[in-house]
Amino acid sequence: MLPASLLQAAADTYGTPLYTYDLAELDAALGRVRAAFGDARVYYAMKANPNLTLLRHLHARGVGFDCVSLGEVSRAEHVGARGEHIVINGPAKSAGEYEAGARLGATFIVDREEEVALLPAGARALVRVNPALDISTHDHLATGSTASKFGVTLEQAPRVLQALRDAGHVALGLHVHIGSAIRDAQDFTAAYARLEALRPHTGPLAVLDAGGGWGLGADLPGIAREARKAADVFGAELWVEPGRYLVALSGTLLTRVIGTKRTGRNFCLVDAGMTELIRPMMYGAEHPVTALWDRPAGEGETWDVAGPACESGDILARNQPLADPQRGDLIAVGEAGAYGASMSSPYLTRSRPAEALWDGQAWQLIRRRETPQDLWAAEE
Ligand SMILES: Cc1ncc(COP(=O)(O)O)c(C=O)c1O
């Protein structure tokens, strides 16, 4: 995390709630990915954080984009990505997504056999395989389990590859993405092993896309070794699609204390909550909470950090050992660069927060705070 004085300065300048990003952390994460995965092609899953400044930074470093909506494809196009720098994922793509993908020469990740007939003529495509495993992550984050809606079965995969060829498309190979925030490398090993078993039925392939999903503490070199081994089995080039791993650590959500309340539990009420960071409520995610003030703590006293929304579930973190929080104090919620700002919502007509980037020299506002007028503009 950046020094408290820098974070204080950003909050004073831009107000709170505020998403801040440290460019050096983003570069460090990209460096770790490239060190582990060597010459694998990296497609950043922009759903994790689609801010244009971050996209431009990654695009300039040769990173492509994994897009899952027309809006995301439009962002990729807007920052200059084309052709081999765009893959389009999703279980139910719209006509607009096929059209944009065709126009830009993107690669489509086919999610069901029926999709073959919907692809634009001569499309480059990968077939997403669901390895049907028990994945060690939150149920809502598992995409490689039988209960998940994603991908074709192992049995269907060779047939879908053949259907692509028969329809005149370019069947590049296979894709697997088993979920998100996965820390246990065994899950990836098991998924790749199931794919490797398809080799006699598929023959050699041009590409194996090993997806993303790496949790922050994951053994990246270990996962990379297994992914490379699987690609080699097919004689394929390796592609990966990290989202969280690239941006999570670079981001910190700054929020100010509005007040406190003691009702049997101690509540520290802050100006950010579920509308700014929904992960604690949606996935039970635990983000590190740091008090950016210096005051003696009450003996053993802990606080539930609660947001301002009129929703009981609007709790950012429970049982935090905050030292006598006071109105105006600043709290930093860490590991918030992924699925933080991108999942923030205008629920309750709350304006989505501003975002600021520390480039090593200065703060730069990379998204202004929305105004109420922004939120109702489409209704006038
Ligand atoms: C197809 C696909 N690829 C990559 C990702 C990125 O996952 P993560 O941010 O966990 O790396 C996702 C996330 O849901 C995804 O659906």
Side-chain angles (χ1 to χ4, degrees), residues 45 47-48 66 89 128 175 177 179-181 211-214 241-245 339:
K47 59 165 75 71
D66 169 32
N89 251 297
R128 180 166 180 170
H175 171 286
H177 172 75
S180 200
W214 321 321
E241 297 171 355
R244 175 189 319 281
Y245 193 89
Y339 306 104

Side-chain angles (χ1 to χ4, degrees), residues 195-207:
L195 252 63
E196 285 169 25
L198 291 176
R199 172 65 177 80
H201 309 285
T202 64
L205 298 171
V207 173

Side-chain angles (χ1 to χ4, degrees), residues 25 27-38 216 220-221 245-246 249:
E25 279 286 357
D27 284 334
L30 180 59
R32 288 194 297 276
V33 170
R34 289 222 155 113
F37 286 88
L216 293 184
L220 217 54
Y245 193 89
L246 280 179
L249 288 179

Side-chain angles (χ1 to χ4, degrees), residues 152-211:
V152 305
T153 65
L154 289 155
E155 198 187 12
Q156 292 164 345
R159 198 169 75 224
V160 182
L161 280 170
Q162 192 52 47
L164 280 169
R165 293 185 196 108
D166 293 346
H169 300 302
V170 184
L172 288 175
L174 297 176
H175 171 286
V176 64
H177 172 75
I178 56 176
S180 200
I182 302 167
R183 292 212 178 88
D184 188 349
Q186 279 309 316
D187 286 353
F188 295 98
T189 309
Y192 300 148
R194 292 205 170 171
L195 252 63
E196 285 169 25
L198 291 176
R199 172 65 177 80
H201 309 285
T202 64
L205 298 171
V207 173
L208 179 78
D209 184 333

